[in-house]
Amino acid sequence: MPTKINPIDRAIVDLLIEDGRMSGADMAQRIGNITERAVRYRLDRLIREKVIQVTAVVNRAAVGLPVTADVFIEVEPGRVMAAGKQIAEFDCVTYVACSTGANDLSIQIVAEDNGSLYRFVTEVIADVPGVRRTTTVLLPIILKDDHGWPIPSGRCAA
């Protein structure tokens, strides 16, 4: 059963997205009509119930990895999970998911430059047992990423 989220919980999460180091006192002041203690209690509950996790977000460009790409991978039947687990071990892979449709795996990678990206896909990913084919899409501008995704206030439907 999903955790019940109310507007105060949502406000706490939104403030943490804005500044993950914001104090409970500052959150209480910004939200209004709530004590620092109540904010800390709610934050502890959101973490305990696994609604959120507090973590650092790396600025990829600042550490020398400004190139980001999505790679869609077709894998031989029966080898998808093994290939996905192996690919997830590479440091430059930031995301791995099984998918449906024409591709079996969807991954995101970061690289120093386009040449490094190309070599990683064609020499490393292509060499993973079971990988049949890859399709790479460069992402020159990322408008929204998962670390900036708030709890929806409504349904996620049109």
Side-chain angles (χ1 to χ4, degrees), residues 16-38:
L16 286 173
I17 290 170
E18 180 183 316
D19 177 2
R21 297 180 62 190
M22 187 176 294
S23 71
D26 288 343
M27 284 190 263
Q29 183 179 22
R30 294 268 304 269
I31 294 168
N33 251 0
I34 188 170
T35 66
E36 176 185 358
R37 182 177 178 173

Side-chain angles (χ1 to χ4, degrees), residues 12-70:
I12 290 169
V13 173
D14 289 346
L15 289 170
L16 286 173
I17 290 170
E18 180 183 316
D19 177 2
R21 297 180 62 190
M22 187 176 294
S23 71
D26 288 343
M27 284 190 263
Q29 183 179 22
R30 294 268 304 269
I31 294 168
N33 251 0
I34 188 170
T35 66
E36 176 185 358
R37 182 177 178 173
V39 167
R40 282 197 318 266
Y41 170 80
R42 286 171 177 267
L43 181 56
D44 288 345
R45 179 183 57 83
L46 291 168
I47 293 169
R48 184 178 63 251
E49 294 180 2
K50 300 186 187 313
V51 173
I52 64 169
Q53 61 182 1
V54 180
T55 184
V57 177
V58 176
N59 177 337
R60 299 162 182 185
V63 296
L65 299 167
V67 175
T68 303
D70 284 342

